[in-house]
Amino acid sequence: MSSIRRWLLAGLLVLVPLAITLAVLNWIVATLDQTLLILPVAWHPDRLLGFHLPGFGVLLTLGIVLLMGAIASNFLGRKLLMVGNALLRRIPIVRSIYSSVKQVSDTLFSENGNAFRKALLVQWPREGVWTIGFLTGLPGGDVVNHLPADYVSVYVPTTPNPTGGYFVMLKRAECIELKMSVDEALTYVISMGVVVPAARPVPPLNPPL
């Protein structure tokens, strides 16, 4: 029985990550295949080939992204984007949503952007309970006029999905800088502490903590 139990666990360790990976990839491909709906029915790959072959939506999405990037990279494209951005910023409700999403995307996808600057150890959600957070910058606007001490902006992700989390402002002295890269810290969070990165020196980044 001990051998069967050991084989069962070993099989699960092999198959579960593989099954989850395939399921996620299948969901991504199926979602991107929805972009084929923008094509005329006569141009659909299913109609041209006579059978369904997944993945054409991925190629179409990649082509659209490359085309938009090429347009946005030239002088005329930048002018058109400026006009479009100005128009969207004048529409009530839409402007608040679009402006927020635009600022976040510019930070995340900019070539020289650095959304998460450092991995930190912080006490959250109460004193005595520690978790990993990420330095995102310094408080700005009128917020700084109401904080009594030196504070930093920190994003505390949830586990195992780091895209959800909390934005908090903590005292700089209460944050401990970790000697691990942002990628290693994200892996640590996603794995729920199972994948432990090796401690090593990390070059300091601005702003200094």
Side-chain angles (χ1 to χ4, degrees):
M1 290 300 295
S2 60
S3 297
I4 294 176
R5 188 182 301 110
R6 186 171 63 254
W7 295 343
L8 179 61
L9 292 176
L12 289 175
L13 289 175
V14 173
L15 293 177
V16 169
L18 181 60
I20 294 176
T21 302
L22 292 176
V24 172
L25 290 176
N26 180 68
W27 176 78
I28 293 174
V29 171
T31 301
L32 293 180
D33 276 348
Q34 298 301 313
T35 57
L36 295 173
L37 297 176
I38 66 176
L39 297 175
V41 177
W43 294 5
H44 283 198
D46 292 4
R47 181 176 291 269
L48 296 174
L49 297 176
F51 59 91
H52 177 67
L53 184 62
F56 281 103
V58 178
L59 298 178
L60 178 60
T61 302
L62 180 60
I64 293 174
V65 172
L66 291 175
L67 178 61
M68 293 300 297
I71 294 175
S73 298
N74 61 56
F75 177 79
L76 180 59
R78 286 194 294 269
K79 290 295 183 182
L80 291 175
L81 287 177
M82 290 175 60
V83 173
N85 287 336
L87 178 62
L88 290 173
R89 294 178 191 277
R90 293 178 179 272
I91 303 175
I93 300 179
V94 173
R95 64 187 175 193
S96 59
I97 300 174
Y98 178 77
S99 298
S100 301
V101 175
K102 185 73 165 60
Q103 290 177 2
V104 172
S105 63
D106 286 347
T107 302
L108 292 175
F109 299 115
S110 173
E111 291 182 357
N112 53 5
N114 198 2
F116 294 161
R117 304 179 182 185
K118 291 180 182 179
L120 307 176
L121 191 63
V122 299
Q123 297 190 76
W124 177 264
R126 61 176 175 81
E127 185 177 354
V129 177
W130 294 85
T131 188
I132 290 180
F134 297 95
L135 177 68
T136 59
L138 301 175
D142 187 46
V143 173
V144 297
N145 299 323
H146 301 277
L147 296 179
D150 192 13
Y151 277 69
V152 292
S153 299
V154 178
Y155 174 71
V156 180
T158 54
T159 303
N161 179 17
T163 59
Y166 302 90
F167 165 64
V168 295
M169 285 168 278
L170 303 174
K171 289 183 179 180
R172 186 184 295 263
E174 296 177 352
C175 301
I176 301 175
E177 182 180 352
L178 295 174
K179 294 181 178 180
M180 64 175 68
S181 67
V182 170
D183 289 341
E184 289 175 334
L186 277 174
T187 302
Y188 195 30
V189 171
I190 294 172
S191 69
M192 296 173 287
V194 175
V195 181
V196 182
R200 59 177 177 79
V202 175
L205 296 174
N206 291 324
L209 187 64

